[in-house]
Amino acid sequence: IFDNVSGMVNSTIVFPIGKTLETGGYYTKGDAGKAKYLIVTAQTADGYGDHTLINGSVAVLQVSDKLIAAQWGVNNSGADMTAPIQAMVDYGNVTGVRTITFGYGSFKTTGIFITEGGFEFIGRAGERPNTAQGAGTRLSYIGNAGALFLNGADDGLPWSDNLYDGP
């Protein structure tokens, strides 16, 4: 088991095709990005869910019925999370896995997500943008087109060009 994705990617061990590897986190052990990866032959890797190892083989994230944002490198550090979220959406467009779960915090994005529809973004407490369950997760768009917030508690603000915060 590797502490994080970087340790796995930079390992000098040549793993056989078909082997499953585990990480204790994405950036650091215990950061909620713990995951399993299947080693496959060289192929295109997105660098978020799939990672090219130094020997050229690829570690492919093993996904079940939902996408866990932390396993794709999404965190609430204030850095732009558009690329890893789009990588999850791209994966979902291909595979049909269209539920994305986020941990606690605010997740900054600066781009528009291109989807084939049917995606569900779920926060830490199971909240969705059209219910008032739980609280604690926010996905915010920072850019010229306004902001999108997914927040479990409706604070009475109606839909506008800048905000969606529930019914």
Side-chain angles (χ1 to χ4, degrees), residues 94-111:
V94 171
T95 65
V97 178
R98 301 225 169 141
T99 300
I100 299 176
T101 62
F102 292 84
Y104 179 81
S106 294
F107 303 90
K108 177 183 173 185
T109 64
T110 57

Side-chain angles (χ1 to χ4, degrees), residues 31-159:
D31 69 4
K34 178 180 178 178
K36 292 184 179 182
Y37 297 85
L38 179 67
I39 303 303
V40 299
T41 57
Q43 65 181 33
T44 303
D46 61 28
Y48 300 103
D50 305 331
H51 304 277
T52 302
L53 306 180
I54 62 172
N55 71 353
S57 59
V58 173
V60 177
L61 178 64
Q62 298 303 284
V63 174
S64 60
D65 61 340
K66 63 185 173 187
L67 302 170
I68 300 169
Q71 292 178 337
W72 295 74
V74 176
N75 63 45
N76 61 3
S77 66
D80 183 5
M81 295 289 118
T82 303
I85 294 172
Q86 184 64 58
M88 287 189 294
V89 169
D90 293 345
Y91 179 90
N93 283 336
V94 171
T95 65
V97 178
R98 301 225 169 141
T99 300
I100 299 176
T101 62
F102 292 84
Y104 179 81
S106 294
F107 303 90
K108 177 183 173 185
T109 64
T110 57
I112 303 297
F113 303 117
I114 301 169
T115 75
E116 294 178 2
F119 276 84
E120 182 174 39
F121 292 84
I122 299 178
R124 174 176 166 241
E127 72 268 15
R128 294 167 179 84
N130 61 353
T131 66
Q133 301 173 0
T137 303
R138 173 173 284 176
L139 176 65
S140 61
Y141 174 72
I142 310 299
N144 293 334
L148 169 68
F149 296 104
L150 300 181
N151 187 346
D154 180 19
D155 60 8
L157 295 172
W159 166 263

